[in-house]
Amino acid sequence: MSGLSPILKQATPVLAERGEGVYLYAEDGRRYLDFTAGIGVTSTGHCHPRVVAAVQEQAAKLIHGQYTTVMHRPLLTLSERLGTVLPEGLDSLFFVNSGSEAVEAALRLARQATARPNVIVFHGSFHGRTIGAASMTTSATKFSAGFAPLMGGVVVSPFPTAYRYGWSEQEATRFALRELDYVLQTLTTPGEAAAFFVEPVLGEGGYVPANTEFMRGLRERADRHGILLVLDEVQTGFGRTGRFWGHDHFGVRPDVVITAKGLASGFPLSAIAAPAELMAKAWPGSQGGTYGGNAVACAAALATLEVVQSENLVANSAEMGARLREGLAKVAADTPAIGDVRGLGLMLASEFVDQDGNPDAAAAARVQQAASAAGLLLLTCGAAGNVVRMIPPLIVTAEQIDEGLALWREAVASA
Ligand code: PMP
């Protein structure tokens, strides 16, 4: 008898059979309101009919158009269409399969294009699980412990995590930018720094949004020193934060954008986008992969983009996010164990703390488990695992938000 490795650790005991919209149905017939969306992936809802139809049609035509051997139309069309939503000037795309691989692709591009060895990442960031991306990940030790030696050339600077420091946003930002200048004097010369890699909202690190002053500070230093500003929009992109890209909240111009998750409604697809002149500095043939830009995944992404646009999912994310946030704030006001509610759009979280304000992972776990037992699927995040996040599909309705909030209030009270 063979079975699954214990390397896998599952957040809920649910054995999913099918999904429809914001609901997952288990093999035992139970229905769950899915506020995890497969870790922020199924933004169009589970099995959106237009995505299903596009996938079925493409699968019957060509499943594997191997892009280093032959080109195929879905990849060409997707590269064009993404141009309509990408920041101005980021007109050249390269596709791989996962967020981690796209982070690695951006890392390779940054090193080749600048001929500089180091990358600067921000404390609390998650960039992925491959050794390169894990070496750039500082959201929790569990993502790198026991994997040493990690990749070299990674320098860590503070992120403006105001709540954890007990500071105002302004104080935390001033600290983070001063420390960044110190890092550029003490840990890497600017001339050896290829890129800043930053999430517009720390994801796995606890749903902490960056802010305009911090992002402008990065842009300004990037311009001054010829360092690339790479935005990891794997979790924040495609409408998740109530704007198309997370960085749209801050009005900064990125040099490279990394996208995955919400891009293809659950099919493995990711991409990096950069100006053509920058991409031209990568060495042709130095990157690729067997499955990158898979034809069915590209068809799913094309349908996803159509649904996001025609169903106004970005506006819905902003509107439903405001409703969810208001409800979470009300529950927090009645619950001393919830120290903070934060996030952007439909990327929201509640942080659990003990009487002294220290992280309370046990409380977060109890609430997460009580919620899933009551029919609301949730995930935790944060270094200590004491932050419970909500990332429903972007198609979520006001009734479903209210249904989720009622289950949340119940779970918090019972745990
Ligand atoms: N970057 C960010 C910001 C992420 O949230 C994630 C996944 N949680 C990744 C990279 C890695 O993506 P993947 O799991 O698809 O490799």
Side-chain angles (χ1 to χ4, degrees):
M1 268 282 279
S2 54
L4 280 170
S5 159
I7 293 174
L8 268 185
K9 192 163 167 278
Q10 210 176 297
T12 75
V14 176
L15 181 52
E17 185 177 44
R18 68 189 178 87
E20 193 182 325
V22 300
Y23 296 102
L24 270 178
Y25 296 82
E27 270 193 3
D28 63 9
R30 279 205 66 183
R31 186 181 87 157
Y32 293 88
L33 186 60
D34 181 11
F35 276 20
T36 73
I39 325 188
V41 170
T42 55
S43 295
T44 56
H46 289 287
C47 304
H48 190 290
R50 286 175 69 179
V51 175
V52 172
V55 163
Q56 284 174 333
E57 197 184 315
Q58 184 57 45
K61 255 199 276 188
L62 177 72
I63 294 175
H64 184 54
Q66 207 290 318
Y67 72 167
T68 62
T69 312
V70 296
M71 189 39 64
H72 56 81
R73 188 56 62 189
L75 184 57
L76 293 175
T77 309
L78 181 61
S79 307
E80 275 168 30
R81 297 270 168 84
L82 283 175
T84 63
V85 292
L86 279 162
E88 175 114 20
L90 272 62
D91 52 0
S92 182
L93 289 119
F94 173 69
F95 291 85
V96 276
N97 307 289
S98 65
S100 304
E101 279 178 277
V103 165
E104 299 252 349
L107 166 71
R108 289 161 209 239
L109 169 66
R111 282 180 166 171
Q112 283 184 341
T114 62
R116 299 177 181 187
N118 297 334
V119 290
I120 298 173
V121 300
F122 296 89
H123 204 171
S125 301
F126 182 91
H127 293 297
R129 292 181 180 268
T130 51
I131 289 290
S135 305
M136 296 162 64
T137 289
T138 54
S139 60
T141 49
K142 70 177 169 189
F143 299 116
S144 54
F147 299 157
L150 296 175
M151 179 186 79
V154 179
V155 174
V156 187
S157 193
F159 190 87
T161 44
Y163 178 75
R164 190 161 55 77
Y165 296 135
W167 289 342
S168 70
E169 183 91 24
Q170 215 178 15
E171 286 169 326
T173 302
R174 198 176 309 139
F175 169 74
L177 289 175
R178 276 193 190 156
E179 285 299 301
L180 178 56
D181 289 330
Y182 189 53
V183 160
L184 288 167
Q185 289 163 341
T186 56
L187 299 180
T188 174
T189 62
E192 287 169 297
F196 297 120
F197 276 73
V198 65
E199 292 168 90
V201 181
L202 289 187
E204 306 307 307
Y207 280 32
V208 186
N211 60 68
T212 301
E213 194 190 336
F214 178 67
M215 294 302 265
R216 280 199 187 142
L218 297 191
R219 181 70 267 172
E220 191 270 315
R221 285 159 182 79
D223 288 339
R224 184 153 28 114
H225 301 302
I227 300 169
L228 297 171
L229 181 57
V230 181
L231 295 187
D232 182 345
E233 293 261 13
V234 167
Q235 193 157 167
T236 49
F238 260 74
R240 174 54 56 192
T241 68
R243 306 287 294 268
F244 198 95
W245 300 107
H247 75 268
D248 289 340
H249 290 274
F250 312 124
V252 290
R253 178 182 55 80
D255 296 304
V256 180
V257 162
I258 304 171
T259 181
K261 289 193 187 279
L263 168 66
S265 292
F267 279 80
L269 185 70
S270 62
I272 59 170
E277 319 82 79
L278 178 61
M279 263 321 173
K281 293 182 182 157
W283 307 351
S286 64
Q287 299 206 43
T290 302
Y291 300 106
N294 170 270
V296 179
C298 287
L302 280 165
T304 299
L305 186 56
E306 273 167 37
V307 170
V308 167
Q309 291 176 326
S310 66
E311 297 186 14
N312 296 315
L313 295 189
V314 182
N316 196 58
S317 172
E319 204 180 315
M320 292 304 118
R323 190 181 185 96
L324 180 56
R325 191 193 186 99
E326 198 184 308
L328 292 177
K330 277 189 194 145
V331 174
D334 299 336
T335 314
I338 300 178
D340 196 24
V341 171
R342 58 176 180 257
L344 293 173
L346 281 173
M347 184 173 178
L348 295 170
S350 304
E351 172 149 5
F352 284 80
V353 290
D354 65 16
Q355 282 146 342
D356 302 321
N358 293 314
D360 191 345
R366 282 197 304 275
V367 172
Q368 187 258 350
Q369 276 152 33
S372 74
L376 172 66
L377 297 183
L378 298 174
L379 291 170
T380 57
C381 61
N386 66 315
V387 180
V388 182
R389 54 176 150 168
M390 293 194 180
I391 29 175
L394 306 186
I395 54 158
V396 70
T397 64
E399 292 69 40
Q400 290 157 345
I401 291 286
D402 295 347
E403 183 189 344
L405 280 167
L407 290 166
W408 172 248
R409 187 174 275 283
E410 222 175 86
V412 169
S414 77

